[in-house]
Coordinates of all heavy atoms in Angstrom, one line a residue:
M1 N 14.8 62.0 19.0 CA 15.7 61.0 19.3 C 15.3 59.7 18.6 O 14.2 59.3 18.6 CB 15.8 60.7 20.8 CG 17.2 61.0 21.3 SD 17.2 60.9 23.1 CE 18.3 59.6 23.3
S2 N 16.3 58.9 18.1 CA 16.0 57.7 17.4 C 15.9 56.6 18.4 O 16.6 56.5 19.5 CB 17.2 57.4 16.5 OG 17.1 56.1 16.0
E3 N 15.0 55.6 18.1 CA 14.9 54.4 19.0 C 15.9 53.4 18.7 O 16.0 52.4 19.4 CB 13.5 53.8 18.8 CG 12.4 54.7 19.4 CD 11.1 54.1 19.4 OE1 11.0 52.8 19.4 OE2 10.1 54.8 19.4
R4 N 16.7 53.6 17.6 CA 17.7 52.6 17.3 C 18.8 52.7 18.3 O 19.2 53.7 18.9 CB 18.3 53.0 15.9 CG 17.4 52.6 14.8 CD 17.9 53.0 13.5 NE 19.3 53.2 13.4 CZ 19.9 53.7 12.4 NH1 19.2 54.2 11.3 NH2 21.2 53.9 12.3
N5 N 19.4 51.5 18.5 CA 20.5 51.4 19.5 C 21.8 51.7 18.7 O 22.4 50.9 18.0 CB 20.6 50.0 20.1 CG 21.5 49.9 21.2 OD1 22.2 50.9 21.6 ND2 21.6 48.7 21.8
E6 N 22.2 52.9 18.8 CA 23.4 53.4 18.0 C 24.7 52.7 18.5 O 24.8 52.5 19.7 CB 23.6 54.9 18.2 CG 22.5 55.7 17.6 CD 22.4 55.7 16.1 OE1 23.4 55.6 15.4 OE2 21.3 55.7 15.6
G7 N 25.5 52.2 17.6 CA 26.7 51.6 18.0 C 26.7 50.2 18.4 O 27.7 49.5 18.7
A8 N 25.5 49.6 18.4 CA 25.3 48.2 18.8 C 25.8 47.3 17.6 O 25.6 47.6 16.4 CB 23.9 47.8 19.1
L9 N 26.5 46.3 17.9 CA 27.1 45.4 16.9 C 26.4 44.0 17.1 O 26.4 43.4 18.1 CB 28.6 45.3 17.1 CG 29.3 44.3 16.2 CD1 29.2 44.8 14.7 CD2 30.8 44.2 16.6
K10 N 25.8 43.6 16.0 CA 25.2 42.3 16.0 C 26.2 41.4 15.2 O 26.6 41.7 14.1 CB 23.9 42.3 15.3 CG 22.8 43.0 16.1 CD 21.5 42.8 15.5 CE 20.4 43.4 16.4 NZ 19.1 43.2 15.8
E11 N 26.4 40.2 15.8 CA 27.3 39.3 15.2 C 26.5 38.1 14.8 O 25.8 37.5 15.5 CB 28.4 38.8 16.2 CG 29.5 38.0 15.6 CD 30.6 37.7 16.6 OE1 31.0 38.6 17.3 OE2 31.0 36.6 16.6
L12 N 26.7 37.7 13.5 CA 26.0 36.6 13.0 C 27.0 35.4 13.0 O 28.1 35.4 12.4 CB 25.6 36.8 11.5 CG 24.9 35.7 10.8 CD1 23.5 35.4 11.5 CD2 24.6 36.1 9.4
T13 N 26.6 34.3 13.7 CA 27.4 33.2 13.8 C 26.7 32.0 13.0 O 25.5 31.8 13.2 CB 27.6 32.7 15.2 OG1 28.1 33.8 16.0 CG2 28.5 31.5 15.3
R14 N 27.4 31.5 12.1 CA 26.9 30.3 11.4 C 27.4 29.1 11.9 O 28.6 28.9 12.0 CB 27.2 30.4 9.9 CG 26.4 31.6 9.2 CD 26.7 31.6 7.7 NE 26.0 32.7 7.2 CZ 25.3 32.6 6.1 NH1 25.2 31.5 5.4 NH2 24.6 33.6 5.6
I15 N 26.6 28.2 12.2 CA 27.0 26.9 12.8 C 26.6 25.8 11.8 O 25.4 25.7 11.4 CB 26.3 26.6 14.1 CG1 26.7 27.6 15.1 CG2 26.7 25.2 14.6 CD1 25.9 27.5 16.4
K16 N 27.6 25.1 11.3 CA 27.3 24.0 10.4 C 27.2 22.7 11.2 O 28.1 22.3 11.9 CB 28.5 23.8 9.4 CG 28.4 24.7 8.2 CD 29.4 24.3 7.1 CE 29.2 25.1 5.9 NZ 30.1 24.6 4.8
I17 N 26.0 22.1 11.1 CA 25.8 20.9 11.7 C 26.0 19.8 10.7 O 25.4 19.7 9.7 CB 24.4 20.8 12.3 CG1 24.2 21.9 13.3 CG2 24.1 19.4 12.9 CD1 22.8 22.0 13.9
K18 N 27.0 18.9 11.1 CA 27.4 17.9 10.2 C 26.6 16.6 10.6 O 26.7 16.2 11.8 CB 28.9 17.7 10.2 CG 29.4 16.7 9.2 CD 30.9 16.7 9.3 CE 31.5 15.6 8.3 NZ 32.9 15.5 8.5
E19 N 25.9 16.0 9.7 CA 25.3 14.7 10.0 C 26.3 13.7 10.2 O 27.3 13.6 9.5 CB 24.4 14.3 8.8 CG 23.2 15.2 8.6 CD 22.1 15.0 9.7 OE1 21.9 13.8 10.1 OE2 21.5 16.0 10.1
P20 N 26.1 12.8 11.2 CA 27.0 11.7 11.5 C 27.0 10.7 10.3 O 26.0 10.5 9.6 CB 26.5 11.0 12.7 CG 25.1 11.4 12.8 CD 24.9 12.7 12.1
R21 N 28.2 10.1 10.1 CA 28.3 9.1 9.0 C 27.4 8.0 9.4 O 27.2 7.6 10.5 CB 29.7 8.6 8.9 CG 30.6 9.5 8.3 CD 32.0 8.8 8.0 NE 32.8 9.7 7.3 CZ 34.1 9.7 7.3 NH1 34.7 8.9 8.1 NH2 34.8 10.6 6.7
Q22 N 26.8 7.4 8.3 CA 25.9 6.3 8.5 C 26.6 4.9 8.2 O 27.4 4.9 7.3 CB 24.7 6.4 7.6 CG 23.8 7.6 7.9 CD 23.1 7.5 9.3 OE1 22.3 6.6 9.4 NE2 23.4 8.3 10.2
Y23 N 26.2 3.9 9.0 CA 26.8 2.6 8.8 C 25.6 1.6 8.6 O 24.6 1.7 9.3 CB 27.7 2.2 10.0 CG 28.9 3.1 10.1 CD1 28.9 4.4 10.6 CD2 30.1 2.5 9.6 CE1 30.0 5.1 10.6 CE2 31.3 3.3 9.6 CZ 31.2 4.6 10.1 OH 32.4 5.4 10.1
Q24 N 25.8 0.7 7.7 CA 24.8 -0.2 7.5 C 25.1 -1.5 8.2 O 26.2 -2.0 8.3 CB 24.5 -0.5 6.0 CG 25.7 -0.8 5.2 CD 25.4 -0.8 3.7 OE1 24.4 -0.2 3.2 NE2 26.2 -1.4 2.9
V25 N 24.0 -2.1 8.8 CA 24.1 -3.3 9.5 C 23.6 -4.4 8.5 O 22.5 -4.3 8.0 CB 23.2 -3.3 10.8 CG1 23.2 -4.7 11.4 CG2 23.7 -2.2 11.7
I26 N 24.5 -5.4 8.3 CA 24.2 -6.5 7.4 C 24.1 -7.8 8.2 O 24.9 -8.1 9.0 CB 25.4 -6.6 6.4 CG1 25.6 -5.3 5.6 CG2 25.1 -7.8 5.4 CD1 26.8 -5.2 4.9
M27 N 23.0 -8.4 7.9 CA 22.7 -9.7 8.5 C 23.0 -10.8 7.5 O 22.6 -10.7 6.3 CB 21.2 -9.7 8.9 CG 20.8 -11.0 9.6 SD 19.0 -10.9 10.1 CE 19.1 -9.7 11.5
W28 N 23.7 -11.8 7.9 CA 24.1 -12.9 7.0 C 23.3 -14.2 7.3 O 23.0 -14.5 8.4 CB 25.6 -13.2 7.2 CG 26.4 -12.0 6.8 CD1 26.8 -10.9 7.6 CD2 26.9 -11.7 5.5 NE1 27.5 -10.0 6.9 CE2 27.6 -10.4 5.6 CE3 26.9 -12.3 4.3 CZ2 28.2 -9.8 4.6 CZ3 27.5 -11.7 3.2 CH2 28.2 -10.5 3.4
N29 N 23.1 -15.0 6.3 CA 22.3 -16.2 6.4 C 23.3 -17.3 6.9 O 24.5 -17.3 6.6 CB 21.8 -16.6 5.0 CG 20.9 -17.8 5.1 OD1 20.0 -17.9 6.0 ND2 21.1 -18.8 4.2
D30 N 22.7 -18.2 7.6 CA 23.4 -19.5 8.0 C 22.4 -20.6 8.0 O 21.2 -20.3 8.0 CB 24.2 -19.3 9.3 CG 23.3 -19.2 10.5 OD1 22.6 -20.1 10.8 OD2 23.3 -18.1 11.1
D31 N 22.8 -21.8 8.1 CA 21.9 -22.9 8.0 C 21.4 -23.4 9.4 O 20.7 -24.4 9.5 CB 22.6 -24.1 7.3 CG 22.9 -23.9 5.9 OD1 22.1 -23.1 5.3 OD2 23.8 -24.4 5.3
F32 N 21.8 -22.7 10.5 CA 21.5 -23.1 11.8 C 20.6 -22.2 12.6 O 19.8 -22.6 13.4 CB 22.7 -23.4 12.6 CG 23.6 -24.4 11.9 CD1 24.7 -24.0 11.2 CD2 23.3 -25.8 11.9 CE1 25.5 -24.9 10.5 CE2 24.1 -26.7 11.2 CZ 25.2 -26.3 10.5
T33 N 20.7 -20.9 12.4 CA 19.9 -19.9 13.1 C 18.5 -20.0 12.6 O 18.2 -20.0 11.4 CB 20.5 -18.5 12.9 OG1 21.8 -18.5 13.3 CG2 19.7 -17.5 13.8
S34 N 17.5 -20.1 13.6 CA 16.1 -20.3 13.2 C 15.6 -19.0 12.6 O 16.0 -17.9 13.0 CB 15.3 -20.7 14.4 OG 15.1 -19.6 15.3
M35 N 14.6 -19.2 11.7 CA 14.0 -18.0 11.1 C 13.2 -17.2 12.2 O 13.1 -16.0 12.1 CB 13.0 -18.5 10.0 CG 13.7 -19.0 8.8 SD 12.5 -19.6 7.6 CE 13.6 -20.1 6.2
E36 N 12.6 -17.9 13.1 CA 11.9 -17.3 14.2 C 12.8 -16.3 15.0 O 12.4 -15.2 15.4 CB 11.2 -18.3 15.1 CG 10.1 -19.1 14.5 CD 10.7 -20.3 13.6 OE1 11.9 -20.6 13.7 OE2 9.9 -20.8 12.9
F37 N 14.0 -16.8 15.3 CA 15.0 -16.0 16.1 C 15.3 -14.8 15.3 O 15.4 -13.7 15.8 CB 16.2 -16.8 16.4 CG 17.3 -16.0 17.1 CD1 17.2 -15.8 18.4 CD2 18.4 -15.5 16.4 CE1 18.2 -15.0 19.1 CE2 19.3 -14.7 17.0 CZ 19.2 -14.5 18.3
V38 N 15.6 -14.9 14.0 CA 15.9 -13.7 13.1 C 14.8 -12.7 13.2 O 15.0 -11.5 13.3 CB 16.2 -14.2 11.7 CG1 16.4 -13.0 10.8 CG2 17.5 -15.0 11.7
V39 N 13.6 -13.1 13.0 CA 12.4 -12.2 13.1 C 12.3 -11.6 14.4 O 12.1 -10.3 14.5 CB 11.1 -13.0 12.7 CG1 9.9 -12.1 13.0 CG2 11.1 -13.4 11.3
E40 N 12.6 -12.3 15.5 CA 12.5 -11.8 16.8 C 13.6 -10.6 17.0 O 13.3 -9.6 17.5 CB 12.8 -12.9 17.8 CG 12.9 -12.5 19.3 CD 13.3 -13.6 20.2 OE1 12.6 -14.7 20.1 OE2 14.2 -13.5 20.9
I41 N 14.8 -10.9 16.5 CA 15.8 -9.9 16.5 C 15.4 -8.6 15.8 O 15.6 -7.5 16.2 CB 17.2 -10.5 16.0 CG1 17.7 -11.5 16.9 CG2 18.2 -9.4 15.7 CD1 18.1 -11.0 18.3
L42 N 14.9 -8.8 14.6 CA 14.5 -7.7 13.7 C 13.4 -6.8 14.4 O 13.4 -5.6 14.3 CB 14.0 -8.2 12.4 CG 15.2 -8.7 11.5 CD1 14.6 -9.4 10.3 CD2 16.1 -7.6 11.1
I43 N 12.5 -7.5 15.1 CA 11.4 -6.8 15.8 C 11.9 -6.1 17.1 O 11.7 -4.9 17.3 CB 10.2 -7.7 16.1 CG1 9.6 -8.2 14.8 CG2 9.2 -7.0 17.0 CD1 8.6 -9.3 15.0
D44 N 12.6 -6.9 17.9 CA 13.0 -6.4 19.2 C 14.2 -5.4 19.2 O 14.1 -4.4 19.9 CB 13.5 -7.5 20.1 CG 12.3 -8.5 20.5 OD1 11.2 -8.1 20.3 OD2 12.6 -9.5 21.1
I45 N 15.2 -5.6 18.4 CA 16.4 -4.8 18.4 C 16.4 -3.7 17.3 O 16.8 -2.6 17.5 CB 17.6 -5.6 18.3 CG1 17.7 -6.6 19.5 CG2 18.9 -4.8 18.2 CD1 18.8 -7.6 19.5
F46 N 15.9 -4.1 16.1 CA 15.9 -3.2 15.0 C 14.5 -2.5 14.7 O 14.4 -1.8 13.8 CB 16.4 -3.9 13.7 CG 17.8 -4.3 13.8 CD1 18.2 -5.6 14.3 CD2 18.8 -3.4 13.5 CE1 19.5 -5.9 14.5 CE2 20.2 -3.8 13.6 CZ 20.5 -5.0 14.2
H47 N 13.6 -2.8 15.6 CA 12.3 -2.1 15.6 C 11.5 -2.2 14.3 O 10.9 -1.2 13.9 CB 12.4 -0.7 16.1 CG 13.1 -0.6 17.4 ND1 12.6 -1.0 18.6 CD2 14.4 -0.1 17.7 CE1 13.4 -0.8 19.6 NE2 14.5 -0.3 19.1
K48 N 11.6 -3.3 13.7 CA 10.8 -3.6 12.5 C 9.5 -4.1 12.9 O 9.3 -4.8 13.9 CB 11.5 -4.6 11.5 CG 13.0 -4.3 11.2 CD 13.1 -3.0 10.4 CE 14.5 -2.8 10.0 NZ 14.7 -1.4 9.5
D49 N 8.5 -3.8 12.1 CA 7.1 -4.3 12.3 C 7.2 -5.8 11.9 O 8.0 -6.2 11.1 CB 6.0 -3.5 11.6 CG 6.2 -3.6 10.1 OD1 5.7 -4.6 9.5 OD2 6.7 -2.6 9.6
P50 N 6.2 -6.6 12.4 CA 6.3 -8.1 12.1 C 6.3 -8.4 10.6 O 7.0 -9.3 10.1 CB 5.0 -8.6 12.7 CG 4.8 -7.7 13.9 CD 5.2 -6.3 13.4
V51 N 5.5 -7.6 9.8 CA 5.5 -7.9 8.3 C 6.8 -7.6 7.7 O 7.4 -8.5 6.9 CB 4.4 -7.1 7.6 CG1 4.5 -7.2 6.1 CG2 3.0 -7.5 8.1
N52 N 7.4 -6.5 8.0 CA 8.7 -6.1 7.4 C 9.8 -7.0 7.9 O 10.8 -7.3 7.2 CB 9.1 -4.7 7.6 CG 8.3 -3.8 6.6 OD1 8.2 -4.1 5.5 ND2 7.8 -2.7 7.1
A53 N 9.7 -7.5 9.2 CA 10.7 -8.4 9.8 C 10.7 -9.7 9.0 O 11.8 -10.3 8.7 CB 10.4 -8.6 11.2
E54 N 9.5 -10.2 8.7 CA 9.4 -11.5 7.9 C 10.0 -11.3 6.5 O 10.7 -12.1 6.0 CB 7.9 -11.9 7.7 CG 7.3 -12.4 9.0 CD 7.5 -13.9 9.2 OE1 7.9 -14.6 8.2 OE2 7.4 -14.3 10.4
I55 N 9.7 -10.1 5.9 CA 10.2 -9.9 4.5 C 11.7 -9.8 4.5 O 12.4 -10.4 3.7 CB 9.6 -8.5 4.0 CG1 8.1 -8.7 3.7 CG2 10.4 -8.1 2.7 CD1 7.4 -7.5 3.4
L56 N 12.3 -9.1 5.5 CA 13.8 -9.0 5.6 C 14.4 -10.4 5.9 O 15.4 -10.7 5.3 CB 14.2 -8.0 6.7 CG 14.4 -6.6 6.3 CD1 14.7 -5.8 7.6 CD2 15.6 -6.5 5.4
M57 N 13.8 -11.1 6.8 CA 14.3 -12.5 7.1 C 14.3 -13.3 5.8 O 15.3 -14.0 5.6 CB 13.4 -13.1 8.2 CG 13.8 -14.5 8.5 SD 13.1 -15.8 7.5 CE 11.3 -15.6 7.8
M58 N 13.3 -13.3 5.0 CA 13.3 -14.1 3.8 C 14.3 -13.6 2.8 O 14.9 -14.4 2.1 CB 11.9 -14.1 3.1 CG 10.9 -14.9 3.9 SD 11.4 -16.6 4.2 CE 11.5 -17.3 2.6
K59 N 14.5 -12.3 2.7 CA 15.6 -11.7 1.9 C 17.0 -12.2 2.3 O 17.8 -12.6 1.4 CB 15.6 -10.2 1.9 CG 16.5 -9.5 0.9 CD 16.4 -8.0 0.9 CE 17.3 -7.4 -0.1 NZ 17.3 -6.0 -0.1
V60 N 17.2 -12.3 3.6 CA 18.5 -12.8 4.1 C 18.6 -14.3 3.7 O 19.6 -14.7 3.2 CB 18.6 -12.6 5.6 CG1 19.8 -13.4 6.2 CG2 18.7 -11.2 6.0
H61 N 17.5 -15.0 3.9 CA 17.5 -16.4 3.7 C 17.7 -16.8 2.2 O 18.5 -17.7 1.9 CB 16.1 -17.0 4.1 CG 16.0 -18.5 3.9 ND1 16.7 -19.4 4.6 CD2 15.2 -19.2 3.0 CE1 16.4 -20.6 4.2 NE2 15.5 -20.5 3.3
K62 N 17.1 -16.0 1.3 CA 17.2 -16.3 -0.1 C 18.4 -15.8 -0.8 O 19.0 -16.4 -1.7 CB 16.0 -15.8 -0.9 CG 14.7 -16.6 -0.5 CD 13.5 -16.0 -1.3 CE 12.3 -16.8 -1.0 NZ 11.1 -16.3 -1.6
S63 N 18.9 -14.6 -0.4 CA 20.0 -14.0 -1.1 C 21.4 -14.1 -0.3 O 22.4 -13.7 -0.8 CB 19.7 -12.5 -1.4 OG 19.6 -11.7 -0.2
G64 N 21.3 -14.6 0.9 CA 22.5 -14.8 1.7 C 22.8 -13.6 2.7 O 23.6 -13.9 3.6
S65 N 22.3 -12.5 2.4 CA 22.5 -11.3 3.3 C 21.5 -10.2 3.0 O 21.0 -10.2 1.9 CB 24.0 -10.8 3.2 OG 24.2 -10.2 2.0
A66 N 21.4 -9.3 3.9 CA 20.6 -8.1 3.6 C 20.9 -7.0 4.6 O 21.3 -7.3 5.7 CB 19.1 -8.4 3.8
V67 N 20.8 -5.8 4.2 CA 21.0 -4.6 5.1 C 19.7 -4.5 5.9 O 18.6 -4.4 5.3 CB 21.3 -3.3 4.2 CG1 21.3 -2.1 5.2 CG2 22.6 -3.4 3.5
V68 N 19.8 -4.5 7.2 CA 18.7 -4.4 8.0 C 18.5 -3.1 8.7 O 17.5 -2.8 9.4 CB 18.7 -5.5 9.1 CG1 18.6 -6.9 8.4 CG2 19.9 -5.4 10.0
G69 N 19.4 -2.1 8.5 CA 19.3 -0.8 9.0 C 20.5 0.0 8.7 O 21.6 -0.5 8.5
K70 N 20.4 1.4 8.8 CA 21.5 2.3 8.7 C 21.5 3.2 9.9 O 20.4 3.8 10.2 CB 21.4 3.1 7.4 CG 21.7 2.3 6.2 CD 21.6 3.1 4.9 CE 21.8 2.3 3.7 NZ 21.6 3.0 2.5
Y71 N 22.6 3.3 10.6 CA 22.7 4.0 11.9 C 24.0 4.7 12.0 O 25.0 4.3 11.3 CB 22.5 3.1 13.0 CG 21.3 2.2 12.9 CD1 21.4 0.9 12.4 CD2 20.1 2.6 13.4 CE1 20.3 0.1 12.3 CE2 19.0 1.7 13.3 CZ 19.1 0.5 12.8 OH 18.0 -0.3 12.7
P72 N 24.1 5.7 12.9 CA 25.5 6.2 13.3 C 26.3 5.0 13.8 O 25.7 4.0 14.4 CB 25.2 7.3 14.3 CG 23.8 7.7 14.0 CD 23.1 6.5 13.5
Y73 N 27.6 5.1 13.8 CA 28.4 3.9 14.1 C 28.1 3.3 15.5 O 28.0 2.1 15.7 CB 29.9 4.4 14.1 CG 30.9 3.3 14.4 CD1 31.1 2.3 13.4 CD2 31.5 3.1 15.6 CE1 32.0 1.2 13.7 CE2 32.3 2.1 15.9 CZ 32.6 1.1 14.9 OH 33.4 0.1 15.2
D74 N 28.0 4.2 16.6 CA 27.8 3.7 17.9 C 26.5 2.9 18.0 O 26.5 1.9 18.7 CB 27.9 4.8 18.9 CG 29.3 5.4 19.1 OD1 30.2 4.8 18.7 OD2 29.4 6.5 19.7
I75 N 25.5 3.4 17.4 CA 24.2 2.8 17.5 C 24.2 1.5 16.7 O 23.7 0.4 17.2 CB 23.1 3.7 17.0 CG1 22.9 4.9 17.9 CG2 21.8 3.0 16.8 CD1 22.0 6.0 17.4
A76 N 24.8 1.5 15.5 CA 25.0 0.2 14.7 C 25.7 -0.8 15.5 O 25.2 -2.0 15.6 CB 25.7 0.5 13.4
M77 N 26.8 -0.5 16.2 CA 27.6 -1.4 16.9 C 26.9 -1.9 18.1 O 26.9 -3.1 18.5 CB 28.9 -0.8 17.3 CG 29.9 -0.6 16.1 SD 30.2 -2.1 15.1 CE 31.1 -3.1 16.3
S78 N 26.1 -1.1 18.8 CA 25.3 -1.5 20.0 C 24.3 -2.5 19.6 O 24.1 -3.5 20.3 CB 24.7 -0.2 20.6 OG 23.9 -0.5 21.6
K79 N 23.6 -2.2 18.5 CA 22.5 -3.2 18.1 C 23.1 -4.5 17.7 O 22.6 -5.6 18.0 CB 21.7 -2.5 16.9 CG 20.8 -1.4 17.3 CD 20.1 -0.8 16.2 CE 19.1 0.3 16.6 NZ 18.0 -0.2 17.4
V80 N 24.2 -4.5 16.9 CA 24.9 -5.7 16.5 C 25.3 -6.5 17.8 O 25.1 -7.7 17.9 CB 26.0 -5.5 15.5 CG1 26.9 -6.7 15.4 CG2 25.5 -5.0 14.2
S81 N 25.9 -5.8 18.7 CA 26.4 -6.5 19.9 C 25.3 -7.2 20.7 O 25.4 -8.3 21.1 CB 27.1 -5.5 20.9 OG 28.3 -5.0 20.3
E82 N 24.2 -6.5 20.8 CA 23.0 -7.0 21.5 C 22.5 -8.2 20.8 O 22.2 -9.3 21.4 CB 21.9 -6.0 21.6 CG 20.7 -6.4 22.4 CD 19.6 -5.4 22.6 OE1 19.9 -4.2 22.3 OE2 18.6 -5.7 23.1
A83 N 22.4 -8.2 19.4 CA 21.9 -9.3 18.7 C 22.8 -10.5 18.8 O 22.3 -11.6 18.9 CB 21.7 -8.9 17.2
L84 N 24.1 -10.3 18.7 CA 25.1 -11.4 18.7 C 25.1 -12.0 20.1 O 25.3 -13.2 20.2 CB 26.4 -10.9 18.3 CG 26.6 -10.5 16.8 CD1 28.0 -10.0 16.5 CD2 26.2 -11.6 15.9
E85 N 24.9 -11.2 21.1 CA 24.9 -11.7 22.5 C 23.6 -12.7 22.7 O 23.8 -13.7 23.3 CB 24.8 -10.6 23.5 CG 24.9 -11.0 25.0 CD 26.2 -11.8 25.3 OE1 27.3 -11.4 24.7 OE2 26.1 -12.7 26.1
R86 N 22.5 -12.2 22.2 CA 21.3 -13.1 22.2 C 21.5 -14.4 21.5 O 21.1 -15.4 21.9 CB 20.1 -12.3 21.7 CG 19.4 -11.4 22.6 CD 18.0 -11.2 22.2 NE 17.5 -9.9 22.6 CZ 16.4 -9.4 22.3 NH1 15.6 -10.1 21.5 NH2 16.0 -8.2 22.7
A87 N 22.1 -14.3 20.3 CA 22.4 -15.5 19.5 C 23.3 -16.4 20.2 O 23.1 -17.7 20.2 CB 23.0 -15.1 18.2
K88 N 24.3 -15.9 20.9 CA 25.3 -16.7 21.6 C 24.6 -17.4 22.8 O 24.8 -18.6 23.0 CB 26.4 -15.8 22.2 CG 27.5 -16.6 22.8 CD 28.6 -15.6 23.3 CE 29.7 -16.3 24.0 NZ 30.7 -15.3 24.5
E89 N 23.7 -16.7 23.5 CA 22.9 -17.3 24.6 C 22.1 -18.5 24.1 O 21.9 -19.5 24.8 CB 22.0 -16.3 25.2 CG 22.7 -15.3 26.0 CD 21.8 -14.1 26.5 OE1 20.6 -14.2 26.2 OE2 22.3 -13.2 27.1
K90 N 21.6 -18.4 22.8 CA 20.7 -19.5 22.3 C 21.5 -20.5 21.5 O 21.0 -21.5 21.0 CB 19.7 -18.9 21.4 CG 18.8 -17.9 22.1 CD 17.4 -18.2 21.9 CE 16.5 -17.2 22.6 NZ 15.2 -17.6 22.8
G91 N 22.8 -20.3 21.4 CA 23.7 -21.3 20.7 C 23.7 -21.2 19.2 O 24.0 -22.2 18.5
F92 N 23.2 -20.1 18.7 CA 23.2 -19.9 17.2 C 24.5 -19.3 16.7 O 25.0 -18.3 17.3 CB 22.0 -19.0 16.8 CG 20.6 -19.6 17.0 CD1 19.7 -18.8 17.7 CD2 20.3 -20.8 16.5 CE1 18.4 -19.4 17.9 CE2 19.0 -21.4 16.7 CZ 18.1 -20.6 17.4
P93 N 24.9 -19.7 15.5 CA 26.2 -19.1 14.9 C 25.8 -17.9 14.1 O 26.4 -17.6 13.0 CB 26.7 -20.2 14.0 CG 25.4 -20.9 13.6 CD 24.5 -20.8 14.8
F94 N 24.8 -17.1 14.5 CA 24.3 -15.9 13.8 C 25.5 -14.9 13.6 O 26.3 -14.7 14.4 CB 23.3 -15.3 14.8 CG 22.5 -14.2 14.2 CD1 21.7 -14.3 13.1 CD2 22.5 -13.0 14.9 CE1 21.0 -13.3 12.6 CE2 21.8 -11.9 14.4 CZ 21.0 -12.0 13.3
R95 N 25.4 -14.3 12.4 CA 26.5 -13.4 12.0 C 25.9 -12.1 11.5 O 25.0 -12.1 10.6 CB 27.4 -14.0 10.9 CG 28.8 -13.6 11.0 CD 29.7 -14.5 10.1 NE 29.3 -14.5 8.7 CZ 29.9 -13.8 7.8 NH1 30.9 -13.0 8.1 NH2 29.6 -13.8 6.6
M96 N 26.5 -11.0 11.9 CA 26.1 -9.6 11.4 C 27.4 -8.8 11.3 O 28.4 -9.1 12.0 CB 25.2 -8.9 12.4 CG 23.9 -9.6 12.7 SD 22.8 -8.6 13.8 CE 22.0 -7.7 12.5
T97 N 27.4 -7.9 10.3 CA 28.6 -7.1 10.2 C 28.1 -5.6 10.0 O 26.9 -5.4 9.7 CB 29.4 -7.4 8.9 OG1 28.6 -7.5 7.8 CG2 30.1 -8.8 9.1
V98 N 29.0 -4.7 10.2 CA 28.8 -3.2 10.1 C 29.8 -2.7 9.1 O 30.9 -3.0 9.2 CB 28.9 -2.5 11.4 CG1 28.8 -1.0 11.3 CG2 27.9 -3.0 12.4
E99 N 29.3 -1.9 8.1 CA 30.2 -1.3 7.2 C 29.6 0.1 6.8 O 28.4 0.3 6.9 CB 30.4 -2.1 5.9 CG 29.2 -2.4 5.1 CD 29.5 -3.4 3.9 OE1 30.2 -4.4 4.1 OE2 29.1 -3.1 2.8
E100 N 30.5 1.0 6.5 CA 30.1 2.4 6.1 C 29.2 2.4 4.9 O 29.4 1.7 4.0 CB 31.3 3.2 5.9 CG 31.0 4.7 5.9 CD 32.2 5.6 5.9 OE1 33.4 5.1 6.1 OE2 32.1 6.8 5.7
A101 N 28.1 3.1 5.1 CA 27.1 3.2 4.0 C 27.6 4.1 2.9 O 28.4 4.9 3.0 CB 25.8 3.7 4.6

């Protein structure tokens, strides 16, 4: 007798996992928001280390804007909302936008 399971049907199912679309968070320069506040936001909300936070802050300051991260839409919007709420509490006219990467 054979040890094979006669008549058994194996079904192969292929599941395609689609990566979520990525959105870039853009930070814009203004003449009123402090550099310290921008670095704080980059460290606390965008999880940048202090050195890279300083580098990004200077890029925003010198070129007018910089992409500070790429995330799925919900995460990008959540981070921007948190950053803008903190800016509002401190009275800064801080600006960030989200656009498809």
